[in-house]
Amino acid sequence: MDDRADVREFLMTRRARLTPELAGLTAGPNRRVAGLRRSEVAALAGVSVEYYAKLERGAIAGASSTVLDAIARALQLDEAERTHLFDLARAADGVPLSGRPRRRAAKNPATRPSLHWMLDAITDGIAFVRNTHQDLLATNELGRAFYSPVIGDGGRTPNLARFQFLDPASRDFYPDWDVFAEMCVSVMRAEAGRDPHDKGLHDLVGELSTRSDAFRTLWGAHNVRTHGTGTKRFNHPIVGEMTFAYEELAITADPGHVVLVYTAQPGSPSAERLQLLANWAASQREAEQGDAAAVTNQPDTSEAGRAGGR
């Protein structure tokens, strides 16, 4: 990720998608571009063409909030895009997000028992903790059952972005795969704007760009978004298709970490299937506990054990 290139490509892609008609301008004859010209953006923002061209070349350092607001209005940026533009400007100025010192590598909140108590207290929904790298750090019991295709047999920390773009099973798990893919990359792009010095995110983007054509194309689109709230559709291998409402909650003790909770509309088919998944998870837990107890209660047939019984 290159700061100046990110600014340049972000502004160029926003300008390219905005037609004269959408901007309230007369297109006129002999246009060679589908979107706005630099001169038209400059006029809408009330800045000189030379100054806007300088910004679009990536030289955004020193741009005032008044100018950035004017550019955001001219390009009709939504709230997530406007925030991203300001984040890029702060990075160019060497000022981290909101003027605070750069975020240090946070401890994994999954090591905190109280967080697990909180997750486990959520029994009628899927709850999990995710960081800025899309790592799945902790879940409640229903979350472990729900995300079993992502978690697999353990080993390396489950990562939602790697699952999305590198695991063929994601095509079945996400019926709206293209929507999920765009959402995943747009959230990652926004995080990269907030902290352009995040090496872990740099490494993940490099890995996915190398191994996934779909990721590389979406990353190049420079779309940004926040998660927040909404609905998602899944196809779980155990219970089938479910639609959930979701809410994202920031963990203030651990900046960059969030709790996401998926719930089903009461009385809906999705709620019934979620209960089936809860029953399946409970049966799996009981089976594991039974296996553990059987191993514990096995007689000691070793030589030391036989000697001790004499």
Side-chain angles (χ1 to χ4, degrees), residues 6-17:
D6 283 346
V7 173
R8 180 176 65 251
E9 291 166 16
F10 179 67
L11 290 176
M12 288 178 64
T13 54
R14 299 316 93 175
R15 176 167 62 84
R17 73 177 184 183

Side-chain angles (χ1 to χ4, degrees), residues 32-86:
R32 289 180 292 179
V33 293
L36 295 183
R37 299 185 177 104
R38 289 190 184 91
S39 59
E40 291 168 331
V41 176
L44 290 168
V47 299
S48 70
V49 178
E50 292 77 12
Y51 184 66
Y52 178 74
K54 174 186 172 184
L55 294 180
E56 199 174 274
R57 287 195 299 270
I60 200 171
S64 69
S65 59
T66 301
V67 167
L68 295 175
D69 267 326
I71 297 298
R73 287 194 301 272
L75 293 173
Q76 298 183 18
L77 303 186
D78 63 23
E79 188 58 33
E81 292 169 327
R82 179 187 176 279
T83 299
H84 186 62
L85 178 63
F86 274 75

Side-chain angles (χ1 to χ4, degrees), residues 22-262:
L22 288 173
L25 302 174
T26 302
N30 303 320
R31 290 188 71 89
R32 289 180 292 179
V33 293
L36 295 183
R37 299 185 177 104
R38 289 190 184 91
S39 59
E40 291 168 331
V41 176
L44 290 168
V47 299
S48 70
V49 178
E50 292 77 12
Y51 184 66
Y52 178 74
K54 174 186 172 184
L55 294 180
E56 199 174 274
R57 287 195 299 270
I60 200 171
S64 69
S65 59
T66 301
V67 167
L68 295 175
D69 267 326
I71 297 298
R73 287 194 301 272
L75 293 173
Q76 298 183 18
L77 303 186
D78 63 23
E79 188 58 33
E81 292 169 327
R82 179 187 176 279
T83 299
H84 186 62
L85 178 63
F86 274 75
D87 288 340
L88 293 174
R90 289 189 186 98
D93 286 335
V95 180
L97 179 63
S98 300
R100 295 191 296 267
R102 185 178 301 161
R103 200 161 58 201
R104 295 179 180 176
K107 293 181 179 179
N108 184 348
T111 61
R112 197 163 59 245
S114 59
L115 185 68
H116 289 275
W117 301 338
M118 183 270 290
L119 290 174
D120 290 339
I122 301 173
T123 56
D124 294 330
I126 294 155
F128 61 97
V129 175
R130 191 206 71 206
N131 64 10
T132 57
H133 303 166
Q134 302 294 308
D135 291 327
L136 192 63
L137 299 178
T139 67
N140 63 354
E141 182 175 86
L142 198 48
R144 286 189 291 277
F146 176 71
Y147 273 121
S148 55
V150 182
I151 296 171
D153 296 325
R156 135 187 211 176
T157 301
N159 182 274
L160 295 170
R162 287 193 184 96
F163 176 73
Q164 175 81 51
F165 290 100
L166 304 181
D167 193 330
S170 69
R171 298 277 179 172
D172 293 327
F173 191 65
Y174 302 130
D176 307 307
W177 191 91
D178 291 338
V179 173
F180 271 76
E182 195 277 333
M183 182 184 297
C184 177
V185 176
S186 297
V187 169
M188 290 175 65
R189 181 57 95 168
E191 292 292 352
R194 290 190 188 98
D195 191 354
H197 306 285
D198 186 332
K199 184 180 182 301
L201 187 54
H202 276 242
D203 292 345
L204 179 61
V205 169
E207 175 190 350
L208 295 177
S209 296
T210 301
R211 300 177 62 187
S212 169
D213 291 339
F215 179 88
R216 187 164 56 251
T217 299
L218 288 169
W219 188 257
H222 285 261
N223 293 328
V224 294
R225 64 165 291 163
T226 54
H227 214 141
T229 185
T231 59
K232 292 182 178 181
R233 191 164 63 104
F234 301 89
N235 183 33
H236 196 274
I238 301 298
V239 297
E241 187 172 303
M242 295 182 285
T243 299
F244 297 132
Y246 67 87
E247 297 286 341
E248 179 182 283
L249 312 171
I251 303 177
T252 55
D254 302 286
H257 294 80
V258 296
V259 176
L260 280 114
V261 181
Y262 294 161

